[in-house]
Amino acid sequence: MRDILDTVRAAWPMLWRAVASAQLFRPQCKLTVADPDVLCDYDLEVPIDGGVVLTTNVFRSRARSGSGKADPVVMCAHPYDNHLTPALGKTPLSGPPQQYRLIPQAGGMPEFSALTSWEAPDPDFWVRAGYTLVNLNLPGYANSGGEAGLVSRQQGRDYYAAIKWVSAQDWCDGHVGLTGVSYLAISQYHAAAAAADDGEDSPLKCISPWEGFSDLYRDVVCRGGVEDVGFLNFWWHTEVKETLNNAREAFIEREGALPQELLGVYPFFDDYWNEKAVDFEVIRTPMLVCGSFSDHELHTPGSFRAFERARSQRKWLYTHRRGKWTAFYSDEVKELVRDFMDHFLKGASNRFNGLSPVRLEVRSNGGEIWDERWERDCPLPSTHYQPLYLSNTGLVTELPEEASELSYRVSDGLATFDFRFEHDTELSGHMKLRIWIEARPERSGEAPPDDMVLCVFIDKRDSVGRSVRFNGSVGISDDVVTRGYVRVSRRELDEERSADWLPVPLGSTEHKLRAGQVVPVDVALCPSSTFFAAGETLRLIVSPTEIVRAPIFRKDTSLNTGTHVLHFGGGYDSHLLVPSVPVTSGSEN
């Protein structure tokens, strides 16, 4: 019952909007009719190890298959049931997948054919482009055999076994590439890791993961040590539990709990969570990764981690700040991904011969792109990490000589610090907040809190002080520049994986606060890319609650009590580290 209530609390703003706007009856997407040349083979059986048989839908060209021609394959895999398409009449009112009736679409209207399942590549587009499209149900979901599990390295090995089987069929020329959104991106990472042992002999030639987290614990379940009690509840109840091909009890026996209850069973980062994190050190498959600046609550950190840590010699990062589905199904992106597949699956000579690795989109606000260009790397080589120190007058460029403190009551307070730009400034990349913090009781005689949660936001203010908003997770259009969270008792960092500009919580330790103890805490803020004109302001907000919500996500801040005290100046080097980039315009490519 509690998980259902958590789902309703987290999703209610989005559900109410869908009702009030009539989106329930006017889904935010456009369906098209597939070309009659598309031949649909449903429920093809794919044998993998252990006697398990998976099911897949295969979409081919009638004309090319009739002439005996084998095409390269573009493939995806997921737990969402590949039968849930308008063409099969398995979606509400035979319209698009149900999510388009609930989730707003920022920045445009996705368009795809009636053969397309949730977050999957459009068979009509790919068959027209000279490929066979394969849409696979992962083990234990829909009518695939095997045991259902939650994103893992074993799931990646099963996916890769299916890829090898597909590559050996007479309708495949032996070359396979992967694409798809969210879970369909995460599954690609694990499949690419599983392909590492085969090296150059692997049929998996490239992947294009479109916005996918890569560490379930650190990216979603327990970001900064803070539990999210919204997303996994919503995901389980609206997208997953009805597609299970096993009993609910079998899922619990395999995983230890339902997804939304896992943190209660595995509260710290351990072997269980590590098996679900992507092993990027072994991945050498060429990759085109989408790193969205608008999905801070879910996929942004993991997508950038994929690009930065994968060992692939040839890899690209495409950034944007639109809705994930609007971007994925746009003509621009479909053509880019097609060229990527053509290059690595067909050997085509095209823009990927010499394309710079990073497509950067810099926003002035939610509706205005200030600059689009291709860069040599991420983080950008030209980045200057500038500390802006907390002070009694806002954010300043020099550490104040005198120590000061600022406090707020958890019940109704927060702290803000402003920095007004004197010159046009671009901030592109990771931000980090270093804050010295103390917990005190609200009233004399009460025991001091031994823990606290901090919610950190970066807001942009225009020249007259109005908040400037951006597109964010699940289609919201009133997001801030970036955000981050930390539970102070989980502040210990993984020194091996952390950088000066990117603190990575260890996740396996807990250090409660003692009375009067002042401790430094580093908070990772999600990557962003924002232009500030001269006279505009960056506002740092430190809060005990989520003052800028992104339904369906909801952080558990219930442990916060008493008073939070921020220390800065003197021996307390509290500062916001910002990635300043020389102001430019234009594009390399």
Side-chain angles (χ1 to χ4, degrees):
M1 178 60 70
R2 180 191 168 188
D3 63 341
I4 294 176
L5 291 175
D6 283 339
T7 300
V8 173
R9 291 191 192 101
W12 178 249
M14 182 183 68
L15 298 175
W16 172 247
R17 181 198 173 281
V19 172
S21 67
Q23 185 181 338
L24 283 174
F25 306 100
R26 296 195 299 269
Q28 291 190 356
C29 65
K30 181 180 178 180
L31 283 179
T32 61
V33 177
D35 192 299
D37 182 53
V38 180
L39 174 65
C40 311
D41 290 329
Y42 293 104
D43 295 330
L44 195 66
E45 295 188 344
V46 180
I48 62 171
D49 298 341
V52 172
V53 176
L54 308 182
T55 56
T56 192
N57 297 335
V58 178
F59 303 89
R60 295 180 286 160
S61 163
R62 295 179 187 274
R64 294 195 299 274
S65 61
S67 65
K69 176 176 173 56
D71 290 330
V73 163
V74 171
M75 190 170 177
C76 67
H78 54 81
Y80 297 138
D81 189 350
N82 59 19
H83 299 86
L84 298 181
T85 66
L88 292 177
K90 298 294 183 68
T91 50
L93 304 177
S94 295
Q98 64 180 358
Q99 292 85 349
Y100 293 98
R101 298 180 184 274
L102 297 174
I103 305 172
Q105 304 297 307
M109 189 78 75
E111 182 175 330
F112 45 82
S113 80
L115 297 173
T116 309
S117 66
W118 173 235
E119 299 190 318
D122 183 351
D124 182 57
F125 173 82
W126 286 104
V127 171
R128 289 173 185 261
Y131 292 88
T132 290
L133 193 284
V134 175
N135 188 323
L136 178 76
N137 290 320
L138 286 169
Y141 292 99
N143 56 350
S144 273
E147 297 181 347
L150 180 64
V151 58
S152 67
R153 297 182 186 186
Q154 179 57 52
Q155 202 173 71
R157 290 189 285 271
D158 291 339
Y159 188 2
Y160 184 57
I163 290 168
K164 295 180 76 170
W165 184 88
V166 164
S167 72
Q169 304 312 298
D170 57 10
W171 39 263
C172 177
D173 70 358
H175 296 78
V176 178
L178 310 180
T179 191
V181 182
S182 191
Y183 204 115
L184 290 72
I186 304 158
S187 61
Q188 293 178 57
Y189 295 136
H190 285 295
D197 289 343
D198 287 345
E200 294 183 359
D201 294 330
S202 172
L204 180 58
K205 303 303 180 184
C206 61
I207 64 174
S208 182
W210 205 261
E211 300 190 40
F213 64 75
S214 53
D215 185 329
L216 179 59
Y217 185 88
R218 293 188 175 102
D219 292 344
V220 183
V221 175
C222 201
R223 172 92 57 88
V226 183
E227 181 180 9
D228 187 282
V229 295
F231 172 72
L232 286 179
N233 271 303
F234 180 86
W235 181 72
W236 173 260
H237 286 294
T238 63
E239 296 183 353
V240 180
K241 71 176 183 179
E242 297 302 323
T243 70
L244 283 179
N245 195 17
N246 308 143
R248 177 177 179 271
E249 291 71 25
F251 184 96
I252 293 173
E253 182 177 354
R254 177 183 177 88
E255 295 290 343
L258 296 177
Q260 61 270 31
E261 298 167 353
L262 286 170
L263 199 63
V265 180
Y266 311 104
F268 294 99
F269 190 88
D270 56 13
D271 289 343
Y272 175 83
W273 295 111
N274 188 58
E275 203 270 338
K276 297 184 179 302
V278 178
D279 183 7
F280 286 114
E281 273 57 43
V282 304
I283 293 180
R284 287 170 170 76
T285 307
M287 58 200 308
L288 169 61
V289 179
C290 174
S292 165
F293 294 131
S294 53
D295 205 12
H296 290 156
E297 291 286 6
L298 187 58
H299 294 312
T300 298
S303 299
F304 279 80
R305 184 187 303 114
F307 177 79
E308 291 162 7
R309 289 184 50 202
R311 298 296 180 87
S312 308
Q313 291 297 308
R314 305 199 68 192
K315 56 183 179 180
W316 289 264
L317 176 68
Y318 179 99
T319 71
H320 72 89
R321 194 147 194 181
R322 291 176 283 171
K324 62 168 66 75
W325 309 283
T326 302
F328 180 70
Y329 292 110
S330 69
D331 289 341
E332 174 200 352
V333 168
K334 287 190 295 186
E335 291 166 6
L336 180 72
V337 178
R338 181 202 60 203
D339 285 353
F340 176 73
M341 296 294 177
D342 284 354
H343 187 73
F344 289 101
L345 300 184
K346 295 181 178 181
S349 179
N350 58 27
R351 64 174 121 174
F352 282 92
N353 287 355
L355 186 66
S356 292
V358 179
R359 187 262 189 185
L360 184 69
E361 179 186 286
V362 189
R363 289 265 175 173
S364 295
N365 55 54
E368 183 180 354
I369 297 174
W370 180 76
D371 192 19
E372 263 180 77
R373 63 182 188 269
W374 290 84
E375 290 273 2
R376 291 184 288 113
D377 205 354
C378 179
L380 306 186
S382 59
T383 304
H384 167 64
Y385 290 101
Q386 178 182 5
L388 301 177
Y389 294 95
L390 279 62
S391 79
N392 289 319
T393 59
L395 296 172
V396 296
T397 56
E398 300 291 337
L399 177 66
E401 294 183 3
E402 298 295 326
S404 301
E405 65 178 50
L406 184 153
S407 63
Y408 58 78
R409 295 188 307 176
V410 165
S411 57
D412 59 2
L414 53 77
T416 64
F417 301 85
D418 288 356
F419 183 83
R420 185 177 183 274
F421 290 95
E422 296 181 359
H423 308 283
D424 289 356
T425 303
E426 177 186 326
L427 301 183
S428 290
H430 299 264
M431 297 188 198
K432 180 191 81 171
L433 176 65
R434 157 65 66 89
I435 186 78
W436 287 80
I437 194 81
E438 177 189 1
R440 292 177 187 166
E442 186 170 336
R443 297 176 183 85
S444 177
E446 294 179 343
D450 63 1
D451 206 351
M452 63 177 79
V453 167
L454 302 179
C455 303
V456 180
F457 304 91
I458 301 297
D459 195 15
K460 177 181 175 178
R461 301 275 164 157
D462 66 16
S463 58
V464 295
R466 295 172 299 196
S467 183
V468 177
R469 293 304 170 100
F470 299 84
N471 295 319
S473 294
V474 288
I476 67 171
S477 56
D478 60 348
D479 201 13
V480 290
V481 171
T482 185
R483 60 179 69 206
Y485 308 95
V486 69
R487 180 173 176 176
V488 173
S489 65
R490 307 289 184 90
R491 63 188 177 275
E492 185 175 0
L493 300 181
D494 184 331
E495 298 296 343
E496 182 178 345
R497 296 189 176 185
S498 295
D500 290 342
W501 43 269
L502 180 61
V504 178
L506 189 61
S508 58
T509 60
E510 184 174 62
H511 302 282
K512 293 294 185 70
L513 294 172
R514 302 186 306 273
Q517 185 181 17
V518 181
V519 297
V521 179
D522 291 323
V523 186
L525 304 179
C526 291
S528 57
S529 185
T530 310
F531 174 71
F532 292 82
E536 294 183 327
T537 296
L538 177 153
R539 173 165 291 179
L540 165 66
I541 305 169
V542 182
S543 171
T545 59
E546 294 174 274
I547 61 168
V548 183
R549 287 288 312 282
I552 48 185
F553 302 89
R554 190 167 71 89
K555 299 296 182 288
D556 182 1
T557 61
S558 59
L559 64 81
N560 276 331
T561 61
T563 299
H564 293 177
V565 184
L566 284 56
H567 293 263
F568 46 85
Y572 301 112
D573 65 335
S574 295
H575 65 273
L576 177 69
L577 192 68
V578 298
S580 180
V581 177
V583 170
T584 183
S585 62
S587 172
E588 289 184 26
N589 294 279

